[in-house]
Amino acid sequence: MASYDVIIIGSGPGGYVCAIRCAQLGLKTAVVEGRETLGGTCLNVGCIPSKAMLHATEMLDEAEHNFAEMGLKGKSPSVDWAQMLKYKDKTISQNTGGIEFLFKKNKIEWLKGWGSIPEAGKVKVGEDTHEAKHIIIATGSEVAPLKGVEIDEETVVSSTGALELKKIPKKMVVIGAGVIGLELGSVYSRLGAEVTVVEFLDHITPGQDGEVQKTFQRMLKKQGMEFIMGAAVQSTTVKNGKATVAYKLRKDDSEHTLEADTVLLATGRRPYTEGLGLKEIGVETTDRGMVKTDDNFATSVKGIYAIGDCIAGPMLAHKAEDEGMALAEILAGQKGHVNYGVIPGVIYTHPEVAAVGKTEEALKEEGRKYKVGKFPFMGNARAKANFSGDGFVKIIADAETDRILGAHIIGPMAGDLIHEICVAMEFGAAAEDLARTCHAHPTYSEAVREAALACNDGPIHA
Ligand code: FAD
Ligand code: NAI
């Protein structure tokens, strides 16, 4: 029986980052992972492969739409689907291999297999039982099922199947206009599929700033995606490799169907803790299967902790990573902490959508007084030159103190631009602080400064 300071179950962004931090802080650490490669959902079937496909198809789109105007002549590239999948797979293995290297470098042991917790202080992997002072559950999430929709990963797929389709569908129906549906829907739309998104609500990307939602949907429509809003999917049926999606419009209960070669179910994910034996040892979970934790990630059983997608909060890789680092620091006797008020969210479509902090809608509900500074990318020289003038930066600041409360960006490199606002928020900055910071010209980030200026005396270029 091997003995450790920490055993982490799951090697996703939560688990592997926690393990590296634990090792750096001098704790003897092992990670249990049942997959053949490390890195969890994110590296194997999530963030990384989806971003590779988004990048490849964005290049294709750029070539098809903008090359001629820039004086770059010649035939647009054609798609070699098998090669594109190979590129995606290589990206995955480079990243998962990287984690294996980091484990060796930090002397972290990989206990291969599926783990369970027979009692506090013990983790069982296959026939072996290991001891640990601290056990961390970092088992992530899985696709939440939808009644009437059976995933076969060929015709009716989850995001995992959508990342390895045998061929590019002619017609694709996406159920759910959330992050996965819009990212992967964009990939296939750019590859030439007719993509129809069926969404239960009357707006896309729930929780996002209302103005961003509208602008984003308009842009996606312009790119060729179709939307059926306020529609509850009832069932999918598959016959001879073709699917029929039945849905009801919420406004009048009328029933409709859509035909498709491929259906992508993207209506959310749920915590995954199967096989751990949590109930038997008394680790409390919510009705939705989330592991209950306190502010220090401790579960209801002493010595057992949980982080990442299997606990409350946004299901994001960087949120899981930050929790992993904070918990490692707590276990090493330091004061680990996650600021949940400043966790950015990014949708990697073209253009990107990024947000941090409060939306106007949330502030209105709280009854708080705020002001808004908005700047369109059309007023940004770099964006205009790069065919990226559509979209805007919106900064929300406290009406009296000018402290930044949130930011919402739709436009070029939004996912990178958001971070200067995150840092500003971490330091409790006012919009004026951002506005008085010199920004290099010509950069997209000047649009952030202009939005900050717009919170007070006004922007220069709009
Ligand atoms: P996971 O990454 O899910 O890892 C959990 C690991 O635990 C898995 O490898 C699993 O095999 C293992 N495991 C489970 N049970 C056991 C057991 N009993 N024994 C041993 N091992 C076990 N987030 C972003 O921030 N940015 C993105 O761009 C992004 N894109 C995404 C795209 C897609 C298609 C999907 C599906 C998700 C995406 N996400 C993205 C979400 C992101 O992947 C998750 O938030 C993140 O992976 C959560 O990390 P985690 O460590 O909590 O769990
Ligand atoms: P989601 O929660 O983002 O979106 C689900 C959508 O489906 C919502 O718009 C919802 O209203 C809709 N819906 C629910 N039931 C429906 C029904 N019966 N019919 C039609 N529509 C219905 O979930 P998604 O896209 O599956 O993503 C899961 C998680 O993965 C997210 O929580 C996200 O955080 C994470 N993720 C993050 C990414 C990123 O950070 N870029 C990329 C991909 C995933």
Side-chain angles (χ1 to χ4, degrees):
M1 184 186 290
S3 188
Y4 301 89
D5 292 316
V6 182
I7 295 183
I8 300 163
I9 308 179
S11 72
Y16 87 72
V17 168
C18 185
I20 293 172
R21 199 65 167 160
C22 284
Q24 285 172 338
L25 296 175
L27 300 170
K28 189 181 173 199
T29 306
V31 174
V32 187
E33 176 55 64
R35 270 179 212 273
E36 281 175 19
T37 47
L38 299 171
T41 304
C42 179
L43 275 67
N44 289 283
V45 291
C47 326
I48 299 304
S50 60
K51 264 79 254 177
M53 304 291 278
L54 280 156
H55 177 67
T57 56
E58 202 178 310
M59 295 295 102
L60 175 70
D61 199 63
E62 184 84 11
E64 282 173 353
H65 292 102
N66 299 331
F67 273 21
E69 193 175 336
M70 288 189 279
L72 301 171
K73 290 205 165 176
K75 258 178 72 185
S76 289
S78 58
V79 176
D80 178 343
W81 182 234
Q83 178 55 33
M84 199 180 282
L85 293 179
K86 255 195 218 165
Y87 150 70
K88 180 250 328 173
D89 290 338
K90 189 173 161 199
T91 312
I92 296 173
S93 57
Q94 279 172 337
N95 281 279
T96 56
I99 306 299
E100 217 173 320
F101 164 78
L102 289 174
F103 271 24
K104 283 187 187 130
K105 185 179 160 201
N106 287 285
K107 302 195 172 38
I108 297 162
E109 199 158 334
W110 175 3
L111 306 173
K112 294 187 182 179
W114 299 100
S116 59
I117 312 173
E119 59 185 278
K122 292 201 166 65
V123 174
K124 196 162 181 266
V125 186
E127 293 306 307
D128 302 325
T129 301
H130 307 270
E131 276 183 349
K133 272 189 231 148
H134 311 290
I135 297 171
I136 301 173
I137 303 165
T139 48
S141 61
E142 61 176 351
V143 177
L146 183 66
K147 201 169 150 246
V149 178
E150 198 178 317
I151 292 174
D152 59 21
E153 296 295 18
E154 286 207 0
T155 311
V156 180
V157 297
S158 69
S159 53
T160 303
L163 292 166
E164 48 191 23
L165 291 181
K166 291 203 177 75
K167 57 178 190 193
I168 300 163
K170 283 201 174 70
K171 281 190 181 185
M172 181 181 227
V173 168
V174 175
I175 311 176
V179 202
I180 291 181
L182 299 183
E183 284 189 357
L184 293 178
S186 306
V187 164
Y188 286 100
S189 170
R190 289 174 201 153
L191 287 168
E194 274 176 42
V195 175
T196 305
V197 183
V198 184
E199 165 59 47
F200 184 80
L201 300 172
D202 294 323
H203 53 262
I204 64 172
T205 56
Q208 195 78 240
D209 172 88
E211 267 183 283
V212 170
Q213 285 172 337
K214 285 192 195 107
T215 308
F216 190 25
Q217 192 175 356
R218 172 181 58 73
M219 286 178 177
L220 292 171
K221 274 187 187 165
K222 207 167 135 197
Q223 290 170 18
M225 277 164 84
E226 286 188 28
F227 289 88
I228 299 174
M229 305 303 290
V233 168
Q234 307 294 304
S235 66
T236 51
T237 42
V238 178
K239 210 171 168 190
N240 302 326
K242 298 262 181 217
T244 305
V245 180
Y247 65 91
K248 251 188 197 177
L249 284 183
R250 285 167 58 218
K251 62 177 181 201
D252 56 10
D253 263 355
S254 58
E255 293 182 9
H256 306 261
T257 57
L258 281 169
E259 306 290 315
D261 307 302
T262 305
V263 177
L264 165 61
L265 177 67
T267 50
R269 294 176 63 83
R270 66 179 183 190
Y272 179 77
T273 54
E274 218 176 280
L276 289 174
L278 297 188
K279 209 172 167 195
E280 291 78 353
I281 55 167
V283 171
E284 284 177 22
T285 56
T286 67
D287 297 345
R288 297 200 54 238
M290 256 175 218
V291 181
K292 285 191 193 172
T293 51
D294 67 9
D295 289 347
N296 290 326
F297 310 103
T299 69
S300 51
V301 174
K302 199 168 182 295
I304 303 181
Y305 305 81
I307 54 171
D309 276 12
C310 66
I311 70 168
M315 288 184 168
L316 295 172
H318 41 284
K319 176 258 191 189
E321 289 182 18
D322 279 22
E323 289 177 342
M325 281 211 274
L327 176 54
E329 287 163 7
I330 291 167
L331 297 181
Q334 300 180 1
K335 299 246 177 287
H337 173 70
V338 176
N339 179 359
Y340 289 98
V342 187
I343 294 182
V346 179
I347 308 177
Y348 298 86
T349 43
H350 185 72
E352 290 180 348
V353 176
V356 64
K358 302 273 185 182
T359 59
E360 274 196 79
E361 291 76 9
L363 288 167
K364 271 186 196 135
E365 234 178 82
E366 288 173 21
R368 272 181 87 169
K369 290 207 166 64
Y370 62 88
K371 54 190 172 179
V372 172
K374 209 175 141 190
F375 185 78
F377 278 103
M378 206 31 106
N380 178 275
R382 186 72 177 275
K384 266 189 290 206
N386 295 358
F387 305 97
S388 301
D390 217 355
F392 56 83
V393 179
K394 175 172 172 178
I395 295 178
I396 305 175
D398 187 280
E400 277 168 30
T401 65
D402 197 33
R403 189 178 175 142
I404 302 169
L405 303 174
H408 306 276
I409 309 178
I410 178 161
M413 306 292 285
D416 287 278
L417 296 181
I418 198 76
H419 292 98
E420 72 165 294
I421 305 169
C422 295
V423 174
M425 285 174 75
E426 277 290 346
F427 282 81
E432 188 184 345
D433 293 319
L434 264 188
R436 289 194 182 276
T437 306
C438 184
H439 284 63
H441 177 74
T443 57
Y444 297 133
S445 64
E446 286 174 291
V448 173
R449 183 195 199 177
E450 293 266 22
L453 279 164
C455 284
N456 290 302
D457 296 334
I460 302 297
H461 295 93

